[in-house]
Amino acid sequence: MHVRTTALATVAILAATLTACSNDRDDSKVGRTAGDSAPVANQPGESRASVRLVWSHTEKDDSGDTSVTYVARVSNPGNSLASVAIDARALDKTGTIVGSGQETLPNIPAHTTFDFLGTLGDSFTQLTGTPAKIDVTQAKDAFGRAGSVQQPMLTTSELKLKQGSRDDLLSNDPYAYDLTVKVTNSTHGDLKGMVTQQVILYNAAGKVVGGDRGSSDNAPDNLPAGMSYREQWTGIPAQGKATRAVYTVWAG
């Protein structure tokens, strides 16, 4: 069963035979997607990436707490891996910040785009006002003099997406989806400790309709290089009908 917590990470895409719908904010102009062939052994270089918001959704939970889910599209036009951090801010109608966070993304392969799903506000970090706009920008000098981080994407395969039961949702979204996926440690060393995982759902027009971040029922504490494990997620929320999922797991 899927639980909303932070946890290791890569990318997999599967087109499922489901129909399309709408979302709060989207952008269907998707470039080449960062995939399984990321050269994780290379040192990430200085980022020349661009960042833009392509989707956001605001909702309240059963306790009345407001949260915002957003998707930021990051493009790496360079010839090497990029290390990128983003600043996300929820602004009220006066332009005042009512919630914010800085996120470190996985290493993004050269000449690819990567969609990052983030959240602002929950029962633990409540927003201090009503969000009217989400602003996302690249965080400058986020890694100090080092200028980069090592957070390689892992390899995923055998992803299967199907419509699930709304009874499994932790939100009031109109659609729920389940998925299973195989994750392989494609780095050159053992992976120990936490990982970060996300799934983003798209409709037939290529627009974001939902997604989530969380932990797997079956993520090993120690994953040797070359070994694989299977994950299973239930209750992935969506605002519209999805036709495919992009699943990402990265170390860090």
Side-chain angles (χ1 to χ4, degrees):
M1 179 178 179
H2 171 57
V3 181
R4 287 191 178 183
T5 57
T6 300
L8 256 192
T10 185
V11 175
I13 301 176
L14 176 75
T17 56
L18 304 171
T19 57
C21 194
S22 62
N23 56 292
D24 293 343
R25 176 185 175 92
D26 50 55
D27 190 326
S28 59
K29 296 180 179 179
V30 184
R32 176 175 163 240
T33 302
D36 296 345
S37 60
V40 295
N42 296 340
Q43 175 69 29
E46 182 180 355
S47 173
R48 291 180 293 167
S50 62
V51 178
R52 60 193 176 101
L53 181 72
V54 295
W55 182 83
S56 65
H57 172 61
T58 303
E59 67 180 9
K60 289 187 177 182
D61 61 20
D62 293 337
S63 300
D65 296 318
T66 301
S67 64
V68 177
T69 304
Y70 66 90
V71 173
R73 182 159 296 157
V74 184
S75 299
N76 175 16
N79 295 321
S80 61
L81 290 171
S83 289
V84 178
I86 62 172
D87 286 316
R89 302 176 181 89
L91 311 175
D92 65 16
K93 62 182 180 181
T94 70
T96 302
I97 298 173
V98 296
S100 64
Q102 186 173 108
E103 300 278 3
T104 299
L105 278 56
N107 300 142
I108 303 172
H111 308 295
T112 62
T113 62
F114 170 68
D115 282 358
F116 174 80
L117 184 144
T119 59
L120 294 171
D122 54 33
S123 57
F124 299 103
T125 56
Q126 296 182 4
L127 300 178
T128 58
T130 302
K133 177 184 177 182
I134 304 301
D135 178 64
V136 291
T137 57
Q138 184 173 352
K140 304 298 183 183
D141 303 319
F143 313 116
R145 294 181 64 183
S148 65
V149 295
Q150 286 281 1
Q151 291 195 168
M153 294 182 183
L154 307 185
T155 296
T156 62
S157 59
E158 302 177 23
L159 190 153
K160 296 180 180 179
L161 177 72
K162 67 178 182 179
Q163 194 160 346
S165 170
R166 292 190 69 250
D167 292 340
D168 293 326
L169 288 175
L170 300 177
S171 65
N172 296 319
D173 293 86
Y175 297 93
Y177 289 89
D178 303 338
L179 70 76
T180 58
V181 64
K182 180 180 178 180
V183 180
T184 301
N185 179 2
S186 51
T187 71
H188 295 280
D190 293 359
L191 291 175
K192 300 179 181 179
M194 302 296 286
V195 295
T196 304
Q197 302 152 302
Q198 70 170 36
V199 58
I200 301 178
L201 304 177
Y202 300 81
N203 66 14
K207 298 178 180 180
V208 177
V209 293
D212 208 353
R213 296 177 68 179
S215 62
S216 168
D217 285 342
N218 184 32
D221 293 330
N222 179 23
L223 186 64
M227 290 199 69
S228 304
Y229 68 96
R230 293 191 184 277
E231 294 189 11
Q232 177 176 312
W233 283 38
T234 58
I236 303 166
Q239 285 294 297
K241 291 184 177 180
T243 62
R244 67 184 179 100
V246 175
Y247 188 77
T248 311
V249 185
W250 64 91

